[in-house]
Amino acid sequence: MIKAIYSDYIADMANESHLKGRAILAPTIHVVDEVNDYMTTMNNNQCKTYVSSNKSLSEGGNNKIEGTHTPEFLATLRCSGLPNHELKLKVGCPVMLIKNIDHSSRLCNGTRLIITRLGDKVIEAKLLNSNHCLDKVFISRMTLTPSDVRIPFRF
């Protein structure tokens, strides 16, 4: 499937225009992970791994919540709309945002980008959804706090 959709990009990864107007819709999170892993292995650039820093939000030291929602447990959560605990990226990899970050900068859920530089706490990318494929954006490390107060942790 990847070879059929991205055959031009695979043949010439320097030409980012082959990514415009193409995407793979996957039925499950596991298939998304398989497609992402395969696309990442085709890219010969150096891989940088980003990991989450998940924390319990319990106030006053509620050991029951902290014992149940350990960082190790939170690292195993896999669900739609939340990034994985471990994110492996390479310069030149296409990515899609799964959260609204900054509407004025066009960083919204579903926005497609191509990674141009990987820093320790900032990722530089170009917007693929723009007409000129030239718009650079910077995405910094962020905290994702659930709006539902019954969920006692943040990502």
Side-chain angles (χ1 to χ4, degrees):
M1 173 176 56
I2 293 169
K3 289 178 182 172
I5 301 296
Y6 292 112
S7 60
D8 295 336
Y9 177 66
I10 293 167
D12 181 13
M13 288 190 171
N15 189 346
E16 298 157 6
S17 66
H18 295 310
L19 296 171
K20 289 185 88 171
R22 298 174 193 215
I24 295 174
L25 179 61
T28 66
I29 293 171
H30 299 293
V31 174
V32 169
D33 289 341
E34 287 178 27
V35 170
N36 289 342
D37 290 344
Y38 183 81
M39 289 287 289
T40 302
T41 59
M42 291 183 350
N43 183 320
N44 293 325
N45 290 322
Q46 183 177 358
C47 184
K48 184 161 181 83
T49 302
Y50 297 91
V51 293
S52 65
S53 176
N54 302 327
K55 298 177 186 174
S56 169
L57 293 178
S58 64
E59 305 256 340
N62 185 340
N63 289 334
K64 183 177 181 182
I65 289 175
E66 288 177 6
T68 305
H69 301 106
T70 64
E72 294 79 18
F73 166 74
L74 296 175
T76 65
L77 295 178
R78 306 288 286 236
C79 57
S80 179
L82 288 178
N84 294 341
H85 166 65
E86 189 176 80
L87 181 62
K88 295 181 179 187
L89 296 173
K90 294 180 178 183
V91 170
C93 280
V95 296
M96 182 182 288
L97 296 180
I98 59 171
K99 286 278 183 202
N100 292 329
I101 297 174
D102 182 3
H103 190 272
S104 63
S105 297
R106 295 180 285 170
L107 295 176
C108 304
N109 185 18
T111 299
R112 297 176 58 240
L113 310 134
I114 188 159
I115 303 298
T116 55
R117 187 184 293 171
L118 298 168
D120 290 334
K121 297 188 188 214
V122 177
I123 297 169
E124 178 185 287
K126 288 194 286 187
L127 292 168
L128 285 173
N129 296 28
S130 72
N131 290 334
H132 305 291
C133 207
L134 297 174
D135 296 342
K136 273 190 190 174
V137 294
F138 299 92
I139 302 170
S140 62
R141 188 170 181 93
M142 64 190 74
T143 300
L144 301 175
T145 304
S147 57
D148 187 338
V149 295
R150 297 173 296 172
I151 302 173
F153 49 87
R154 75 172 135 233
F155 298 93

